[in-house]
Amino acid sequence: MVVEEPLPRMPQMRLDELLEELQARINAARGTRDRVHSLLEAVVSVGRELDLAQVLRRIVEAAALLVDAQYAALGVIGPDGRSLSQFLTVGLTEEEIARIGPLPAGHGILGELIRNPEPLRLTDLGAHEASYGFPSDHPPMRTFLGVPIRVRDEVFGNLYLTDKHGGMDFDAEDESVISTLSVAAGVAIDNARLYEASQRQHRWLQANAEITNSLLSGSPRLEVLELIARRAREITESTLADVSVPVAGTDDLVVELAIGADDDTRRGLVVPVEGTLSGAVYQAGAPVTTAGLAEDDRYSAGPGHFDGLGPAVAVPLGTAAKDTRGVLLLARHQGEPVFTEAELEPLLAFAGQAALALELAERRSDAEQLAILEDRDRIARDLHDLAIQRLFATGMTLQSAARLVQHEGAAERVSRAVGDLDETIKIIRSTIFGLRAREEDTGPSLRARIARTVGETATALGFPPRLSMEGLLDTDVPPQVADHVTAALTEMLSNAARHAHATRVEIALQATSDEVVLTVTDNGTGIPTDGRRSGLNNLEERARRVGGSVEIGRPDEGGSRLVWRAPLASGRGD
């Protein structure tokens, strides 16, 4: 019989250590499994969204959750490649964000990651040589992990994470997890961009079809322009859309159409060509963009009604600088994305539609004018062949009858009647001359120019002005004086639209044998004695050039009355 010897007993201490190590490995494996599971959930969650803003928000939230960070942010790099155009945060309340002030632009540690797009881990954020410190109301932050996000070959932005819970440092595993998330984030961002591009293209096509239908159906010019501006604003998600057109007789533009963001204030504003975004586009005939409309030093002139506005783009309404009929301006709020090259291409096509609308409106106007001229020819022939001949025959009859009248008073009356008939014949002949004057030879008549100016200003005023015209405006007013009259009226109506806050404007234009008189009366706030005089100076200068004058008055019922006059004899000799 063989007796087995008992196995030697393992020390109790060694067994406990092995069990603890085994438990630690099991916990580590479980923790790794849970973290991998969380990472997969985050990747699926990020990839599920197609809206870019929601994708970015899910990315930064998932990053903070995966590495247990108290604060997280995602900075989108701007077109210049050196600064941040967007900055999304997690862990800060709205009140804290408001106290901190403007969002980071990409300096300090944030800029370090932009310049060197590689993962960066820091134990003490403030100890790094690139650290600028924090604003006064910024919460303290110590540990840091930064990882770039790439979309294909482009660095789209960076993930920033600070202050891991429990006071621990971010480790290599945290870096690996966030790097993996950033790869998935790049794919999700790319998909969201492609989806947004396809949706935007679909909306542009729909808008183009809508505008084409409007053009072919003969809609009024302003109605088509408003449709173009409104659709461009909606598709580009802009805050405002303005359409500016040249002001006749000046080097300025005027905002003919304004949509969104205090449009009543902007409508009718005069925009100088020099020193403004719209003016630069009008001169060059090419689109111009800016990252900040209110702060751009290149465009410091013009009306200061762009506070709070950021990225902006202006595109010409035409195919070349010499053919530019106006400018379409779009602007977004500060902090919103800048306009990209991908957005410019459909915008330019859209602007081409606007130019087509203006051209078609001009062609319709030309056709209507041609019909008017043909009707004038008919009236002129009838006046010459019928009215003048009959008046002349009546005058001859009266002259013959005057010899037979014995009563001195009656003979004098007949003689005056003959003189009146002669004067009437002269007036009719002058009128016939005016009716037969072709616009291609003499340019648009003064009456037509005044009516067109008044019609174009109705949009800026918000109501149609009342217009009355008397006298031989198209025959007795020389072209040089007519140019000054039209420019003076444009200046008066522009001032009324910008400053008067009127609800009624009356315009009277009269030509006598000696002078032409333009009177503009409104029921607005009146002309302040200590206000700006640039507009009045322009009026006085124009009057002085033709030997005329300007009178400023205030009607009894309030408002203002401007009387601009010029002698016709001086104009004929100009």
Side-chain angles (χ1 to χ4, degrees):
M1 179 178 181
V2 179
V3 179
E4 296 182 358
E5 295 183 1
L7 294 174
R9 296 183 62 186
M10 185 176 294
Q12 185 68 34
M13 184 68 68
R14 178 63 177 162
L15 180 59
D16 291 341
E17 291 176 356
L18 290 175
L19 290 174
E20 289 177 1
E21 182 178 350
L22 179 60
Q23 185 64 45
R25 289 179 180 272
I26 292 173
N27 292 338
R30 184 179 293 113
T32 301
R33 182 201 64 186
D34 293 342
R35 196 164 200 184
V36 170
H37 183 69
S38 298
L39 178 59
L40 290 175
E41 282 187 342
V43 169
V44 172
S45 174
V46 167
R48 187 182 297 120
E49 290 288 344
L50 288 176
D51 180 74
L52 183 57
Q54 290 298 323
V55 168
L56 299 181
R57 173 59 60 183
R58 283 189 179 272
I59 290 171
V60 69
E61 290 174 348
L65 184 63
L66 284 172
V67 297
D68 200 22
Q70 183 176 356
Y71 305 107
L74 191 156
V76 179
I77 299 176
D80 60 2
R82 300 186 302 273
S83 60
L84 298 177
S85 61
Q86 285 181 268
F87 198 78
L88 291 79
T89 62
V90 167
L92 294 173
T93 65
E94 294 295 332
E95 292 76 12
E96 288 175 322
I97 294 174
R99 286 198 301 269
I100 291 172
L103 296 175
H107 304 298
I109 293 296
L110 307 187
E112 179 68 20
L113 208 58
I114 295 174
R115 292 185 293 272
N116 302 298
E118 298 294 337
L120 177 64
R121 278 187 290 133
L122 299 174
T123 300
D124 187 356
L125 183 60
H128 194 278
E129 59 183 6
S131 177
Y132 278 10
F134 299 105
S136 58
D137 292 315
H138 199 287
M141 297 179 181
R142 190 181 66 84
T143 57
F144 175 84
L145 172 60
V147 176
I149 298 175
R150 287 182 169 83
V151 178
R152 300 186 183 183
D153 297 329
E154 167 199 359
V155 179
F156 174 82
N158 297 301
L159 276 170
Y160 310 106
L161 302 118
T162 61
D163 287 8
K164 189 169 184 176
H165 286 99
M168 301 174 62
D169 292 341
F170 294 104
D171 54 25
E173 188 176 346
D174 293 328
E175 180 181 320
S176 177
V177 168
I178 297 301
S179 296
T180 304
L181 177 66
S182 71
V183 174
V187 175
I189 291 170
D190 194 28
N191 289 338
R193 278 177 161 182
L194 292 173
Y195 177 75
E196 284 194 350
S198 65
Q199 290 295 104
R200 190 182 301 112
Q201 183 66 23
H202 178 66
R203 295 180 67 188
W204 281 121
L205 290 174
Q206 284 184 321
N208 278 326
E210 186 180 3
I211 291 165
T212 300
N213 290 336
S214 181
L215 287 171
L216 295 178
S217 64
S219 298
R221 168 180 169 276
L222 277 178
E223 184 177 315
V224 177
L225 274 183
E226 182 178 358
L227 178 61
I228 290 171
R230 195 174 298 281
R231 293 295 177 265
R233 173 175 173 260
E234 292 170 356
I235 295 174
T236 60
E237 297 180 353
S238 299
T239 303
L240 64 82
D242 286 355
V243 175
S244 301
V245 297
V247 179
T250 71
D251 295 329
D252 296 330
L253 304 173
V254 63
V255 179
E256 182 178 17
L257 186 67
I259 299 176
D262 199 19
D263 49 7
D264 289 337
T265 303
R266 297 195 319 279
R267 190 181 298 115
L269 288 174
V270 174
V271 181
V273 170
E274 295 295 334
T276 62
L277 184 67
S278 296
V281 172
Y282 181 72
Q283 285 183 315
V288 178
T289 61
T290 178
L293 186 60
E295 298 84 14
D296 200 318
D297 294 336
R298 296 175 296 171
Y299 311 115
S300 56
H305 290 268
F306 299 124
D307 294 340
L309 295 177
V313 61
V315 292
L317 304 181
T319 56
K322 63 180 181 179
D323 298 327
T324 301
R325 292 175 168 82
V327 177
L328 171 63
L329 170 69
L330 299 167
R332 293 169 175 158
H333 281 302
Q334 286 179 335
E336 294 186 354
V338 298
F339 288 88
T340 63
E341 290 293 331
E343 292 177 291
L344 277 182
E345 184 177 352
L347 259 182
L348 285 172
F350 223 55
Q353 291 275 25
L356 178 61
L358 293 173
E359 185 172 353
L360 284 177
E362 291 175 2
R363 295 296 177 266
R364 290 194 192 103
S365 177
D366 291 343
E368 293 170 358
Q369 190 66 25
L370 181 60
I372 292 174
L373 290 175
E374 290 175 349
D375 201 37
R376 285 180 175 178
D377 281 343
R378 179 187 60 79
I379 295 172
R381 286 195 303 270
D382 291 345
L383 287 174
H384 183 271
D385 297 340
L386 301 176
I388 288 184
Q389 298 304 325
R390 297 194 66 172
L391 288 173
F392 186 76
T394 302
M396 294 291 292
T397 301
L398 289 175
Q399 279 184 324
S400 299
R403 302 190 188 98
L404 304 176
V405 177
Q406 301 298 324
H407 191 278
E408 183 177 349
E412 183 181 354
R413 290 186 178 184
V414 172
S415 178
R416 283 204 306 268
V418 171
D420 290 341
L421 286 174
D422 287 340
E423 189 65 29
T424 301
I425 291 172
K426 291 179 182 178
I427 293 174
I428 293 177
R429 281 176 173 166
S430 177
T431 303
I432 291 173
F433 176 79
L435 289 171
R436 286 180 170 172
R438 297 287 183 175
E439 290 201 3
E440 54 265 30
D441 298 327
T442 63
S445 67
L446 179 56
R447 286 178 178 269
R449 293 166 65 182
I450 293 299
R452 182 180 302 173
T453 300
V454 172
E456 291 175 348
T457 313
T459 301
L461 289 169
F463 55 87
R466 181 178 179 182
L467 173 63
S468 64
M469 293 184 281
E470 297 180 18
L472 301 178
L473 295 168
D474 296 338
T475 57
D476 285 6
V477 180
Q480 296 89 345
V481 176
D483 290 341
H484 287 293
V485 170
T486 305
L489 177 60
T490 301
E491 183 74 36
M492 291 179 184
L493 293 179
S494 175
N495 289 337
R498 284 184 294 165
H499 307 301
H501 305 290
T503 59
R504 186 182 73 254
V505 174
E506 296 181 358
I507 304 159
L509 181 61
Q510 182 183 25
T512 67
S513 58
D514 300 324
E515 63 179 0
V516 59
V517 182
L518 172 64
T519 304
V520 176
T521 307
D522 65 68
N523 65 344
T525 57
I527 302 175
T529 56
D530 56 347
R532 293 178 57 186
R533 289 190 54 86
S534 56
L536 295 177
N537 291 339
N538 291 339
L539 293 174
E540 292 171 353
E541 174 62 20
R542 289 189 178 279
R544 185 191 62 78
R545 291 181 187 177
V546 290
S549 62
V550 177
E551 300 172 9
I552 302 173
R554 186 177 182 89
D556 295 337
E557 61 274 16
S560 62
R561 178 184 291 116
L562 291 174
V563 181
W564 190 96
R565 62 178 75 239
L568 295 181
S570 172
R572 293 189 183 96
D574 193 354

